[in-house]
Amino acid sequence: MPVAASGPTAPAAVTVAGTGVGPLLRAWRERRRISQLELALRADSSARHISFVETGRSRPSEEMVLRLAEQLEVPVRERNALLLAAGYAPRYPETPLDDPALDALRDGMERLIRGYEPYPALVVDATYTVVAANRGIARLLAGVAEELLAPAPNAMRLTLHPEGLAPRIRNLREWRGHLLAQMEREISLHRSDRLRALYEEVAAYPVPEEPPGAEPAEPVAYFALPMRIEHDGRILSFVSSISTFNTPMDVTVAELAIETFLPADPATAAYLHGLAG
């Protein structure tokens, strides 16, 4: 799941000169560090045609815009922007998560995270707003400031805020660095002012002093960077994984992520099963 007087600087936003789909495609290609020739080969086109599209000398077909976007791994929301810039209608709808059309999706996600109990799991959107969470997450959040738990809580604020989980995370500097790097990658993929503002906010949180005995008494050979967090006088260790939907056809669905926390050692697993009875 997802604080600091100082920290990494988020990547600068891509500056697009000119208007139309050409400059946008060029910006995405340069961001991906792909040459016109390489993109042409991937998209079954020619470097000359890619050049003409980027300079506005040629208007790409709707199919070509989508093909180039696919090869450039452009997020679904931004593919709609490319289509609009090229003079075409958006291809991907953005259905509100509470729309009846997404009932099956919501039910499936809630069943999934409930089935993961007693281990923690939650679902977040593109700006880390928590849209669903199981009882494993609720246990970890005991003692977090009420204002952070208000409707539409944010996973990054819950984790890194001085009144959130941060004081109880025993390897906060490492875990904070992991989360900020994760956000930087997302900013490089999505031109989101909201995500950038969130990054700047949580990166500016002061980092609490690590309490005595923050490191384990004996080295443990973890298989991934764990989040080591104090809970009722015990130190629990988790590693996290993030799942997204394959080939999403809706902006809302494309921006959802399911994060699950797996016990990183037998003691954590045994303790959680004990809490669940």
Side-chain angles (χ1 to χ4, degrees):
M1 183 172 48
V3 264
S6 63
T9 302
V14 172
T15 301
V16 179
T19 59
V21 70
L24 289 175
L25 284 169
R26 182 175 63 249
W28 280 108
R29 179 179 60 77
E30 291 174 348
R31 180 183 293 187
R32 296 292 184 257
R33 299 182 180 181
I34 298 174
S35 68
Q36 289 181 343
L37 177 58
E38 183 178 354
L39 179 58
L41 292 172
R42 292 184 184 184
D44 193 23
S45 183
S46 68
R48 178 184 176 87
H49 182 56
I50 299 298
S51 176
F52 278 19
V53 167
E54 290 186 353
T55 58
R57 295 178 64 185
S58 177
R59 180 185 182 226
S61 66
E62 182 178 13
E63 178 188 0
M64 177 57 73
V65 172
L66 292 172
R67 193 187 311 162
L68 294 174
E70 177 72 22
Q71 296 305 319
L72 292 170
E73 299 180 355
V74 177
V76 171
R77 180 183 297 277
E78 299 299 330
R79 295 186 192 192
N80 278 343
L82 289 174
L83 288 167
L84 284 169
Y88 303 110
R91 173 69 63 93
Y92 305 96
E94 184 174 359
T95 309
L97 191 56
D98 59 358
D99 191 287
L102 297 184
D103 282 350
L105 173 72
R106 291 195 313 276
D107 181 65
M109 292 191 301
E110 289 170 0
R111 286 175 180 270
L112 181 64
I113 62 176
R114 284 200 306 269
Y116 198 68
E117 294 173 355
Y119 306 152
L122 74 166
V123 183
V124 297
D125 65 13
T127 54
Y128 296 95
T129 298
V130 178
V131 299
N134 69 5
R135 287 178 292 185
I137 290 290
R139 290 190 184 100
L140 291 183
L141 294 178
V144 167
E146 288 297 324
E147 56 267 29
L148 295 175
L149 297 171
N154 185 276
M156 288 295 178
R157 293 191 184 101
L158 287 169
T159 306
L160 298 179
H161 195 283
E163 296 183 3
L165 296 178
R168 292 196 279 123
I169 298 177
R170 293 297 179 253
N171 59 336
L172 178 61
R173 293 181 186 277
E174 288 180 294
W175 193 249
R176 170 188 171 276
H178 153 68
L179 293 182
L180 293 180
Q182 176 180 310
M183 293 185 73
E184 288 174 355
R185 289 193 296 271
E186 290 299 313
I187 290 171
S188 73
L189 286 172
H190 305 276
R191 296 182 300 167
S192 169
D193 292 337
R194 291 177 59 197
L195 187 58
R196 182 175 298 280
L198 176 65
Y199 175 95
E200 292 173 352
E201 174 190 334
V202 300
Y205 291 157
V207 181
E209 292 294 329
E210 293 184 356
E215 293 303 317
E218 297 181 1
V220 177
Y222 291 116
F223 47 88
L225 177 67
M227 176 180 71
R228 301 182 62 251
I229 184 169
E230 185 274 330
H231 183 268
D232 285 345
R234 296 174 179 264
I235 303 298
L236 306 181
S237 295
F238 298 96
V239 293
S240 72
S241 66
I242 298 176
S243 303
T244 56
F245 291 92
N246 287 332
T247 321
M249 302 300 293
D250 186 284
V251 173
T252 299
V253 177
E255 295 179 348
L256 292 175
I258 302 170
E259 185 166 15
T260 54
F261 292 84
L262 181 71
D265 54 48
T268 297
Y271 177 70
L272 293 176
H273 281 285
L275 286 180

